[in-house]
Amino acid sequence: MAETCTRKLVVEVCNARNLMPKDGQGTASAFATVDFDGQRRRTKTKLRDLNPEWDEKLEFLVHDTDSMATETLEISLYNDKKTGKRSTFLGKVRIAGSAFVKSGGETLVYYPLEKRSVFSQIKGELGLKVYYIDEDPPAPPAEQKPEEKAPETEENKPAEEAKPEEEKKEEEKKEEPKTESNKEAKKEEEKPSPPPQEENPKKPEEAAPPVKVENPPLAESEKKPSKEEKEKAEIVKRSEVTISDLELRSLASDRGRSAYDLVDRMPFLYVRVVKAKTANNESKSPVYAKLMIGTHSIKTKSQSDKDWDKVFAFDKEGLNSTSLEVSVWTEEKKENEEATQECSLGTVSFDLQEVPKRVPPDSPLAPQWYALESENSAGNEVMLAVWIGTQADEAFQEAWQSDSGGLLPETRAKVYLSPKLWYLRLTVIQTQDLHLGSGSEAKVRNPELYVKAQLGAQLFKTGRTSVGSTSASSANPTWNEDLVFVAAEPFEPFLTVTVEDVANGQSVGHAKIHVASIERRTDDRTELKSRWFNLVGDDTKPYTGRIHVRVCLEGGYHVLDEAAHVTSDVRAAAKQLAKAPIGLLEVGIRGATNLLPVKTRDGTRGTTDAYVVAKYGPKWVRTRTILDRFNPRWNEQYTWDVYDPCTVLTIGVFDNGRYKHDEAAGKQGKDVRVGKVRIRLSTLDANRVYLNQYSLTVLLPSGAKKMGEIEIAVRFSCSSWLSLIQAYTSPMLPRMHYVKPLGPTQQDILRHTAMRLVTARLTRSEPPLGQEVVQFMLDSDTHMWSMRRSKANWFRVVGCLTRVATLARWTEGIRTWVHPPTSVLMHVLLVAVVLCPHLVLPTIFMYAFLILAFRFRYRQRVPLNMDSRLSYVDMVGPDELDEEFDGFPTTRSQDVVRIRYDRLRALAGRAQTLLGDFAGHGERLEALWNWRDPRATGIFVVFCLVASLVFYVVPFKVFVLGSGFYYLRHPRFRDDMPSVPVSFFRRLPSFSDQIL
């Protein structure tokens, strides 16, 4: 047998920080257990230390290198029971196998400890290094004599022999948990190094039950488990993997099984034409095959070797004949003639009613030789295979497809990946030994300098600083400013740093930093080393000084490349911080109905060549283009891993304008947007199929236009309910966004930069994903001014305040005794609240519980779509739409711009008045405490003194009761004029009278 390399997973348990005390004395004696692929290792116990350091290296054997990415590494921390009898669990860390790196790329990463349940009291972090090593298999050992056989211990005992003892220990642990824990503690004291244990030192009631979990019901029709699945289940039973790991593994294995269960199976006629054999084998004339089904006709390329091996897929519903004819033709060129003459070598016919059907996982149909019938020649044969299958056939993706124009690259289904993005942080510290021309010139003008850094098309500058000769600090200018760039893999080769003089705009010198050599970090605790670089001028100045910088690639951030309200991925850039997925998103793109014509064909007839783009996370999918149909049926299904439920799936429909372009002019058309659908995953029930039709509405300069409807099937499969609930309690973005946040303006600049990078990379793919498509999917124009969006946001604010206004009107009705029984009831409720204040909060939460439970059955059953009424597209004027579609800077005439500017000034004037009123209220309150109006403040001082004396005598309950009765008094006891406090507050001064 051929030898293969073995893979080992190495886990270095370095240290932990700020652990939760568990021994009742303010400390903890922590040890770690590491589980991977049925193997368990244990570290030593560090006594009475909340910041223990182990620095132990644990090795695990990877049984299957291909499935390592689906495995999960779990590290659990416990407090040793020898030193205390309280709860032993200190926290756990789960790392997905996809985050493992090869040896040499590992770094120390601190993972926050996770809770085992919602009520666990856990805090702290665990420092780990995780990597794998590929080793060549060792040479076979020499035969060992029987007397030299190594004695069996607990460490080298086979798993089959150790299994009965493990089961006995498990039974004893269930019967006598307290006694067993004491025995284990004594054994650990006697042994110098604890062997790997199979028991998890948890409480018996918290221990995981025997793992026997059924697969979650992802598909409607379940298949019987195969032999490989049974073997995998037996391995799982022996290895005591947690329930969530088993569910995740079964979920990954169901990908292939549940393929195409959200869409309809479309019948296709497949014809594989392999090669031909002629009676005259010595002929070198080109030969091609021709396929005809009614009016459908297609032929292969002309080749001299008669070997094509091409697959053709015909949409069975679009066929207008019941027979298939395959003919072979040769192109012969006669002497003294330039034109070629086509000669038929024969034809073979098939009745489509007798063509066999094939459904995966059936094996492919083997091609056979068929004799060609011809009147002129005999002995010619063609090798081909004909069958009826569906779009799930393996040959479909690479086949010539009748409904998408054949083998056009621009009409094929493709999957794209966004480039991996990093934040590159450059900290400019200072410069030294700068050569600023002649000494007299530098002394006279005291030049101002700034540092400019460029990465690709990105250019950022620091502030200005003066250079003088009076002190060492001014002679060596210092900035200490951060410049943040967006870097996309594969990285640009160099980061160029230039020092420039403000006065003459000339470069003092520049330095180039190789991006591939820049250090990477995953958190803010890593100390970065600063570096000095020599500045180089032109050819006559090889050295013009040096610059001190600190540069790194920030892996702890998630680079935002979408609008904040429609983000689909929140994971950090560093692979070491990757977490296991919590579920699976499956989307079935079924078809569209009643699409409107977007362009004209043959000058008169309207047509639409529609395709769909779906984006979630870094994965973009594009369906095949269905040509010249207003009711296209795609029936394609795609899957994504879900890492956060509060994310958005974006689906866009476009008309393909790129598959036909003017080759002579070198121009290519653009794709036209038809509509867009967004689905927020948090609004979906887990493990449920949503099959709905969504309206497609596009905003044009002439107004909103309904373009048709699209039918989508969506299913969000949850692999672990506990992980799903914990996701709602964790921060939305990685830790670095909160410990070292970026400013709002800087974040917007970096987001638009990331959008441009993603757009540029996807437009360079083959076939390209058009710039207009990527920008429409990413909503790259949301930052542009739009009167329509401003009105929509204003009415959203008004809608949110409607509930408050309704409550205020209801309170005013009670106060004015509009409905006397309700007002009397509120008096009784006020007395109950004052006499029994401890019942206030329980009553409020119980009332909220009952209301929400009652509204559960009226919840939204269908995921919401783009709302034209909420978007305010039906009540917007043509001039406002023209302003929204205008570019930046504007291209409209001066008169149009003047009208829009005046309208904007009127709107801004009302907003300016509103802001002034808010500022005035705050300034009046501040003036009351600053004696700006001595008489008003004096009155308030006397009131405070009297109030303090009154409240020393009057109980607080009496005050609340009296205030409530006074507020709810009958209208006959009221005055129509404003109250004394309101009149007093309005008379206080503000700064409004001091503004010019």
Side-chain angles (χ1 to χ4, degrees):
M1 295 178 62
E3 296 181 349
T4 58
C5 63
T6 59
R7 176 170 292 183
K8 289 185 179 180
L9 179 67
V10 181
V11 181
E12 294 188 18
V13 185
C14 300
N15 55 10
R17 297 177 176 177
N18 302 323
L19 297 180
M20 176 69 72
K22 289 289 185 178
D23 60 356
Q25 301 178 6
T27 61
S29 300
F31 68 91
T33 61
V34 187
D35 295 275
F36 177 75
D37 197 14
Q39 308 166 63
R40 174 169 293 184
R41 303 289 185 268
R42 182 188 188 279
T43 65
K44 296 180 180 179
T45 301
K46 295 297 181 179
L47 298 176
R48 300 184 180 279
D49 192 356
L50 296 179
N51 298 288
E53 295 186 4
W54 292 282
D55 292 327
E56 295 188 27
K57 185 183 296 185
L58 308 176
E59 295 185 356
F60 299 86
L61 182 63
V62 180
H63 298 108
D64 188 358
T65 58
D66 296 332
S67 63
M68 186 182 72
T70 62
E71 299 286 346
T72 303
L73 175 69
E74 182 169 332
I75 303 97
S76 302
L77 292 185
Y78 298 93
N79 176 47
D80 202 325
K81 288 186 178 182
K82 295 183 295 183
T83 59
K85 297 183 180 180
R86 301 185 65 184
S87 177
T88 62
F89 185 69
L90 295 176
K92 67 178 181 179
V93 172
R94 291 162 52 87
I95 305 175
S98 58
F100 300 160
V101 298
K102 197 170 183 180
S103 177
E106 70 277 4
T107 57
L108 177 60
V109 180
Y110 284 91
Y111 297 90
L113 294 174
E114 301 176 2
K115 297 181 179 181
R116 185 167 52 191
S117 64
V118 179
F119 304 102
S120 300
Q121 295 182 355
I122 301 300
K123 71 174 184 177
E125 298 172 324
L126 181 62
L128 300 171
K129 291 183 180 180
V130 183
Y131 55 93
Y132 61 88
I133 303 174
D134 292 329
E135 299 179 346
D136 294 331
E143 295 185 0
Q144 198 175 22
K145 295 181 180 180
E147 59 273 16
E148 296 178 356
K149 184 177 180 180
E152 288 187 353
T153 63
E154 290 292 333
E155 296 181 356
N156 59 15
K157 185 182 294 184
E160 291 78 3
E161 298 181 11
K163 183 177 179 181
E165 296 183 4
E166 297 166 6
E167 295 178 353
K168 292 179 181 179
K169 290 181 180 180
E170 192 69 21
E171 294 176 358
E172 294 175 358
K173 182 179 179 182
K174 292 180 179 179
E175 294 176 359
E176 300 178 359
K178 297 182 179 179
T179 308
E180 185 65 19
S181 61
N182 296 335
K183 290 181 180 180
E184 289 298 319
K186 292 180 181 179
K187 289 180 181 179
E188 291 177 0
E189 290 177 353
E190 295 173 359
K191 296 178 182 179
S193 59
Q197 300 177 357
E198 286 296 328
E199 292 180 352
N200 198 343
K202 304 176 182 177
K203 287 187 177 182
E205 61 271 16
E206 296 177 352
V211 184
K212 187 177 180 182
V213 183
E214 297 179 357
N215 292 336
L218 299 182
E220 296 179 1
S221 60
E222 297 288 341
K223 296 182 179 180
K224 295 183 178 180
S226 61
K227 183 177 179 181
E228 296 180 355
E229 292 176 348
K230 291 182 179 179
E231 294 177 356
K232 191 174 293 186
E234 292 296 327
I235 295 174
V236 170
K237 289 180 181 179
R238 292 198 301 266
S239 59
E240 284 193 5
V241 183
T242 60
I243 294 179
S244 59
D245 291 341
L246 180 57
E247 289 176 343
L248 185 61
R249 196 176 298 175
S250 65
L251 185 65
S253 64
D254 281 348
R255 288 172 182 259
R257 182 180 62 191
S258 62
Y260 293 97
D261 64 332
L262 298 181
V263 297
D264 297 333
R265 297 296 178 98
M266 299 179 63
F268 281 87
L269 174 65
Y270 288 91
V271 182
R272 178 184 290 274
V273 183
V274 183
K275 56 185 176 180
K277 183 169 60 177
T278 60
N280 185 12
N281 292 328
E282 298 179 356
S283 175
K284 298 298 182 180
S285 300
V287 177
Y288 67 88
K290 185 177 182 180
L291 287 72
M292 291 189 63
I293 308 176
T295 57
H296 294 274
S297 176
I298 185 65
K299 65 179 183 178
T300 65
K301 293 182 178 180
S302 299
Q303 297 181 179
S304 301
D305 54 2
K306 311 177 189 66
D307 191 354
W308 303 288
D309 197 11
K310 294 293 182 183
V311 180
F312 300 88
F314 297 90
D315 186 5
K316 197 168 184 297
E317 295 180 356
L319 300 180
N320 53 9
S321 177
T322 58
S323 64
L324 164 68
E325 293 184 359
V326 181
S327 57
V328 180
W329 298 73
T330 180
E331 297 179 349
E332 297 180 354
K333 187 175 182 181
K334 296 184 178 181
E335 297 181 359
N336 301 326
E337 293 185 7
E338 295 182 359
T340 58
Q341 182 179 3
E342 296 182 350
C343 180
S344 175
L345 298 180
T347 304
V348 58
S349 300
F350 296 88
D351 187 357
L352 299 185
Q353 303 295 332
E354 299 179 358
V355 174
K357 295 183 179 180
R358 175 186 177 264
V359 179
D362 293 348
S363 300
L365 197 65
Q368 299 180 13
W369 287 103
Y370 293 90
L372 295 174
E373 298 178 1
S374 176
E375 298 178 356
N376 302 326
S377 59
N380 300 325
E381 294 180 329
V382 62
M383 177 181 282
L384 53 85
V386 183
W387 73 94
I388 293 178
T390 65
Q391 75 272 29
D393 201 293
E394 297 89 349
F396 181 73
Q397 294 299 331
E398 300 300 328
W400 177 95
Q401 299 165 5
S402 62
D403 58 353
S404 60
L407 293 173
L408 298 175
E410 293 83 4
T411 62
R412 312 288 289 182
K414 292 293 180 182
V415 176
Y416 302 85
L417 288 177
S418 297
K420 189 174 183 180
L421 303 177
W422 296 70
Y423 283 145
L424 189 150
R425 185 186 298 273
L426 172 68
T427 304
V428 182
I429 302 175
Q430 67 172 356
T431 56
Q432 287 185 359
D433 195 22
L434 294 180
H435 297 180
L436 301 175
S438 61
S440 59
E441 179 185 355
K443 289 180 181 179
V444 169
R445 61 184 182 91
N446 287 334
E448 289 186 344
L449 303 178
Y450 66 90
V451 177
K452 178 180 69 176
Q454 184 172 3
L455 179 67
Q458 304 174 59
L459 182 65
F460 294 102
K461 301 177 182 179
T462 65
R464 300 177 181 181
T465 183
S466 300
V467 180
S469 58
T470 58
S471 63
S473 59
S474 59
N476 299 320
T478 302
W479 288 273
N480 285 322
E481 293 186 26
D482 286 347
L483 304 178
V484 183
F485 301 83
V486 179
E489 294 185 357
F491 298 123
E492 296 285 343
F494 294 103
L495 170 66
T496 306
V497 182
T498 308
V499 180
E500 290 192 357
D501 191 345
V502 177
N504 52 25
Q506 295 182 356
S507 171
V508 178
H510 70 273
K512 290 187 176 181
I513 304 174
H514 197 252
V515 178
S517 64
I518 294 177
E519 183 180 359
R520 305 183 184 188
R521 71 172 181 177
T522 57
D523 54 29
D524 60 326
R525 304 183 187 91
T526 305
E527 295 294 336
L528 297 175
K529 297 179 180 179
S530 58
R531 302 165 65 182
W532 287 94
F533 292 93
N534 292 335
L535 296 174
V536 180
D538 51 17
D539 297 337
T540 61
K541 297 179 180 179
Y543 175 79
T544 58
R546 60 177 186 165
I547 186 169
H548 191 198
V549 298
R550 187 183 297 113
V551 60
C552 71
L553 288 168
E554 298 281 9
Y557 290 94
H558 167 70
V559 181
L560 301 172
D561 59 347
E562 300 170 286
H565 59 282
V566 293
T567 183
S568 61
D569 188 15
V570 293
R571 291 176 293 167
K575 188 178 180 181
Q576 294 86 347
L577 300 180
K579 294 183 179 180
I582 63 173
L584 189 70
L585 174 64
E586 299 168 272
V587 179
I589 304 173
R590 298 171 64 88
T593 55
N594 302 323
L595 293 181
L596 296 182
V598 177
K599 56 192 175 185
T600 58
R601 182 165 294 172
D602 301 330
T604 57
R605 184 171 60 90
T607 183
T608 298
D609 304 324
Y611 70 92
V612 180
V613 175
K615 181 197 181 300
Y616 183 79
K619 180 180 176 181
W620 301 61
V621 298
R622 169 180 172 166
T623 66
R624 68 188 189 279
T625 301
I626 306 297
L627 301 180
D628 197 13
R629 291 189 188 178
F630 297 126
N631 298 289
R633 305 299 296 177
W634 294 284
N635 284 309
E636 299 182 18
Q637 185 169 336
Y638 300 93
T639 60
W640 288 267
D641 287 324
V642 177
Y643 297 88
D644 194 293
C646 301
T647 46
V648 178
L649 167 70
T650 304
I651 300 174
V653 183
F654 301 89
D655 174 77
N656 196 329
R658 294 179 174 268
Y659 74 97
K660 284 187 177 181
H661 58 275
D662 189 355
E663 297 181 357
K667 295 182 180 180
Q668 195 172 37
K670 290 186 177 182
D671 298 340
V672 180
R673 59 184 69 176
V674 176
K676 182 163 54 178
V677 176
R678 292 198 193 102
I679 300 175
R680 185 169 290 274
L681 269 60
S682 58
T683 62
L684 304 178
D685 293 340
N687 303 325
R688 176 185 170 187
V689 177
Y690 291 85
L691 177 58
N692 299 290
Q693 284 192 339
Y694 299 92
S695 176
L696 296 173
T697 304
V698 64
L699 188 63
L700 301 173
S702 58
K705 187 176 183 180
K706 185 178 178 181
M707 303 295 293
E709 294 180 341
I710 184 173
E711 187 179 1
I712 301 292
V714 181
R715 176 172 55 205
F716 170 49
S717 304
C718 176
S719 59
S720 172
W721 280 99
L722 182 60
S723 300
L724 185 62
I725 294 174
Q726 287 181 347
Y728 280 88
T729 62
S730 60
M732 189 74 178
L733 295 172
R735 180 177 177 272
M736 285 291 287
H737 286 269
Y738 304 99
V739 298
K740 200 168 184 179
L742 302 171
T745 304
Q746 186 181 30
Q747 216 168 50
D748 288 339
I749 295 174
L750 294 176
R751 179 187 289 112
H752 298 312
T753 303
M755 288 180 179
R756 288 194 294 269
L757 284 175
V758 172
T759 303
R761 292 293 177 89
L762 293 180
T763 53
R764 293 170 56 188
S765 304
E766 186 59 37
L769 201 59
Q771 177 181 355
E772 63 280 1
V773 175
V774 180
Q775 291 179 350
F776 183 62
M777 297 290 290
L778 294 179
D779 281 341
S780 59
D781 58 345
T782 53
H783 65 290
M784 301 296 292
W785 162 257
S786 169
M787 181 67 74
R788 177 188 60 84
R789 288 199 189 100
S790 300
K791 290 181 178 179
N793 292 334
W794 168 253
F795 285 107
R796 287 171 59 196
V797 174
V798 172
C800 293
L801 297 177
T802 302
R803 300 291 184 184
V804 179
T806 303
L807 180 61
R809 287 194 297 268
W810 179 75
T811 306
E812 184 65 19
I814 293 175
R815 179 173 173 264
T816 55
W817 290 70
V818 174
H819 190 248
T822 307
S823 299
V824 174
L825 182 62
M826 290 302 297
H827 281 77
V828 176
L829 182 61
L830 176 62
V831 174
V833 168
V834 172
L835 297 179
C836 303
H838 59 281
L839 297 179
V840 175
L841 290 179
T843 304
I844 292 176
F845 284 112
M846 179 57 68
Y847 184 63
F849 167 75
L850 293 176
I851 291 177
L852 294 175
F854 177 75
R855 291 185 176 182
F856 176 74
R857 57 180 179 174
Y858 300 107
R859 70 190 187 277
Q860 186 70 34
R861 302 281 182 173
V862 179
L864 297 176
N865 189 18
M866 314 287 285
D867 192 342
S868 58
R869 185 188 62 83
L870 185 64
S871 303
Y872 212 76
V873 296
D874 298 330
M875 295 173 285
V876 62
D879 183 64
E880 295 175 354
L881 283 175
D882 182 71
E883 181 183 12
E884 182 173 348
F885 282 90
D886 189 11
F888 189 85
T890 182
T891 58
R892 301 300 184 261
S893 63
Q894 294 182 359
D895 295 335
V896 174
V897 174
R898 185 182 299 109
I899 295 173
R900 294 174 180 175
Y901 177 64
D902 292 339
R903 183 178 59 201
L904 183 60
R905 288 174 62 191
L907 180 63
R910 292 195 293 268
Q912 171 184 298
T913 304
L914 184 63
L915 291 176
D917 292 340
F918 275 112
H921 291 318
E923 291 167 355
R924 289 187 182 95
L925 187 61
E926 185 179 358
L928 187 63
W929 295 89
N930 292 338
W931 292 85
R932 290 191 58 209
D933 187 342
R935 284 176 294 275
T937 306
I939 295 172
F940 183 67
V941 168
V942 174
F943 170 77
C944 291
L945 178 61
V946 174
S948 64
L949 297 177
V950 170
F951 284 115
Y952 272 120
V953 180
V954 180
F956 182 72
K957 291 184 179 180
V958 176
F959 167 74
V960 174
L961 193 62
S963 300
F965 282 149
Y966 177 78
Y967 181 76
L968 298 174
R969 67 192 184 278
H970 197 272
R972 70 175 58 184
F973 302 111
R974 297 180 185 276
D975 190 5
D976 295 335
M977 303 302 291
S979 62
V980 174
V982 173
S983 301
F984 178 79
F985 181 77
R986 288 178 177 175
R987 290 177 177 273
L988 294 174
S990 67
F991 292 120
S992 299
D993 54 350
Q994 298 182 17
I995 297 179
L996 294 175

